[in-house]
Amino acid sequence: MTGYRWDSNTRKYYFDIVVEDIYQPLSLIYGFIPEDIYVNGNIIAHSVDFNYSKFSSVKIDSSWYDKKTKTLNLEFYSKTNPYNQPVYITTVKGSANALPIYYMTFAFNLGITFLMSLYGFSLYYNKHSENYLIWFSIYTGALTLWSLTSLILDWNLDWNFIRLLVSHAYGWCALLDVVICCKMFSIKLPGRFDWLLSRNGVITVLLVWATFETLMPKTFRDYYFLFFFSIAALVYACAKNRKGAWMLLVGQTISLGMRLVIAISPALMTQTSYLLRVMRYSKLFNLPFAICCLLLINRLFAEKFSESEALAVQLEQTNQILDKKVAERTQALKEQQKQRNIFMMNIFHDLRTPLFVLNGCTEKIKAQPQLLMQELPIMKERLYFVQHLVDDLFLMAKLEDKQVILETERVPLGELLGRVVKACRVASEEKNIIMLYKIDKDCVTWGDEYRIEQAFQNLIINAIYYTKPGGTVRVELKTCDNTALISIHDTGVGISPEDQDKIFDRYYRVSGTEKHHSTGLGLSISQGIINQHQGNIKVESYFGKGTVFTVQLPIIQ
Ligand code: ADP
């Protein structure tokens, strides 16, 4: 090529090609050009629509050369600087390679964007809650449509609707670029503008844009400014530390950078290489950004997957703990049931024995009425036991059901214990047991005097019963902060460690230590009463040496 000329008045671009051999086969490759290309006044390449981002080639005929100068004059109209013209001259062999490269790149991009759209849609189909997936699918779908532009416009279809649709694909892609950036990072527009990012808002914007675009001269359709909006959205997302925002920013910068290289080449008076233009015509520039979106989606899904895996492990552990708890609870219930049965059996047994004795007595008296006076004390004593047992059972059941209505009054504990000790002294003296009572300072609790007395009586009577003659029973009252500490010490038989946990159970009696009139309910009743007064009972015992029951009760000033 010897030179070119651009006449800014006629806006015509001329260039001469001088060859050594006019029979050397050369080809002219050209992209979309606004005017026909002339050689010696004859059209050799027809202008194509602005939307035709595709390459064509024409073989240069030897007859087009000036035989003497071996020069060929090409001439075509050019609105802009000639450096921006997608016109390349190469050998026929070169063109045979160049065009397939273009078609392959085109097909590659088309396939990738289509697959991405399908991928986005299938993910969304299976996971509706991830809203950005459908936008990714729509965005990559629009990229596919945009890629298809040159192909569809080539088909000479009469369907104007489709022609119209594809002619807006570029603008829509540029707009959806902004939308997808906002959707990926849940960016909200200020105030009412946020509606623009809703489904209806986006549809409205796309339609308004399409109308506006139809009215606009075609040569103004380079919407680079829109890409800067998406860059701004991504910078905002980075500033807000949104996950993966950097990745998309890098992708978008590469995409935009590649676009700008071609856009600013005429200003820099540099020619654009065929390969770079091929990449642009096949819309490959969109891929870095789209691929980054895809990588981000994969990353988000992988993270969600890991999260749910961790949750599943946690759930499994919780299940195991629950299973264990259920098993333990079932075991406890079985145990309770067993205890209940034993409890019932004991009650039946304890009721049956005195009834049996009473029956025997009445039979005896029936046969020999003179034995009445002799049998009467036995009958009375057995009847007393039955009455005592029934009373205890009744009270126990009421305490369990929290049905005992406690009289609430001020109860001076020192006085109350003094009374109980006094009442029990008869029994201790009968057994030759020393009873001691020590009180630091009297104190007052709030509760039911009769029931509290009953609770302490059970404990002191037990201490006397389970202590051998000659032993000692000591009752002490102390105060500590707002609590009264009442301890009942004895030098009795003691309770083995394994029995200490069970003695408060209903009807539990340590075998071999049964006392007269033993019901196995005394301690449960005492504990029930003390608990209802916000207090507690503890036991400390040394087997064979003695036992200490300590009762804690809140005191009032
Ligand atoms: P019981 O009517 O049989 O005394 P309790 O509920 O009062 O029923 O007591 C349960 C068991 O606790 C008793 O069978 C007895 O073996 C044991 N026990 C209670 N108090 C004492 C004590 N002070 N010394 C030793 N053993 C005791």
Side-chain angles (χ1 to χ4, degrees), residues 184-185 237 241-246 296 299-300 303 307:
M184 286 298 285
F185 303 109
N241 266 334
R242 302 274 161 88
K243 212 180 279 174
W246 278 107
L296 179 59
R299 189 174 138 186
L300 293 177
E303 275 172 15
E307 263 170 39

Side-chain angles (χ1 to χ4, degrees), residues 458-459 462-464 466-467 490 492-495 503-505 507-511 513-515 517-524 541 546-547 549:
N458 284 347
L459 294 173
N462 272 354
I464 295 169
Y466 295 109
T467 302
D490 68 52
V493 290
I495 307 160
I503 52 170
F504 292 101
D505 292 349
Y507 235 77
Y508 188 81
R509 283 177 274 198
V510 180
S511 53
T513 64
E514 275 156 47
K515 65 184 188 207
H517 289 162
S518 166
T519 60
L521 292 169
L523 284 181
S524 337
S541 185
T547 307
F549 282 92

Side-chain angles (χ1 to χ4, degrees), residues 187-284:
I187 294 173
K188 300 219 174 309
L189 293 182
R192 289 183 168 208
F193 287 107
D194 199 44
W195 176 79
L196 294 174
L197 287 177
S198 67
R199 195 183 53 187
N200 290 345
V202 171
I203 293 173
T204 313
V205 169
L206 294 184
L207 290 178
V208 168
W209 184 269
T211 323
F212 165 71
E213 205 173 37
T214 319
L215 304 173
M216 214 164 47
K218 287 186 172 182
T219 38
F220 287 117
R221 290 193 196 166
D222 266 338
Y223 312 128
Y224 292 111
F225 70 94
L226 280 178
F227 293 108
F228 286 102
F229 278 115
S230 52
I231 292 273
L234 292 174
V235 169
Y236 174 79
C238 286
K240 291 268 165 192
N241 266 334
R242 302 274 161 88
K243 212 180 279 174
W246 278 107
M247 201 153 81
L248 287 207
L249 185 63
V250 169
Q252 185 68 313
T253 313
I254 296 173
S255 286
L256 188 60
M258 293 203 315
R259 267 195 188 94
L260 287 179
V261 169
I262 293 188
I264 59 178
S265 74
L268 298 175
M269 302 290 263
T270 52
Q271 275 185 341
T272 311
S273 76
Y274 174 71
L275 263 181
L276 200 63
R277 207 176 278 276
V278 159
M279 282 163 77
R280 183 187 174 173
Y281 279 10
S282 51
K283 280 65 174 188
L284 211 73

Side-chain angles (χ1 to χ4, degrees), residues 428-429 431-435 463-465 467-473:
S428 70
E429 278 166 5
K431 255 189 103 178
N432 193 21
I433 285 169
I434 306 161
M435 274 278 276
I464 295 169
Y465 270 106
T467 302
K468 288 194 181 107
T472 313
V473 171

Side-chain angles (χ1 to χ4, degrees), residues 413 443 477-486 534-536 551-557:
L413 278 172
C443 55
L477 168 65
K478 284 185 202 160
T479 53
C480 176
D481 297 331
N482 289 329
T483 313
L485 299 172
I486 304 104
Q534 321 304 324
N536 62 61
V551 178
Q552 289 191 352
L553 276 173
I555 50 178
I556 49 171
Q557 302 305 327

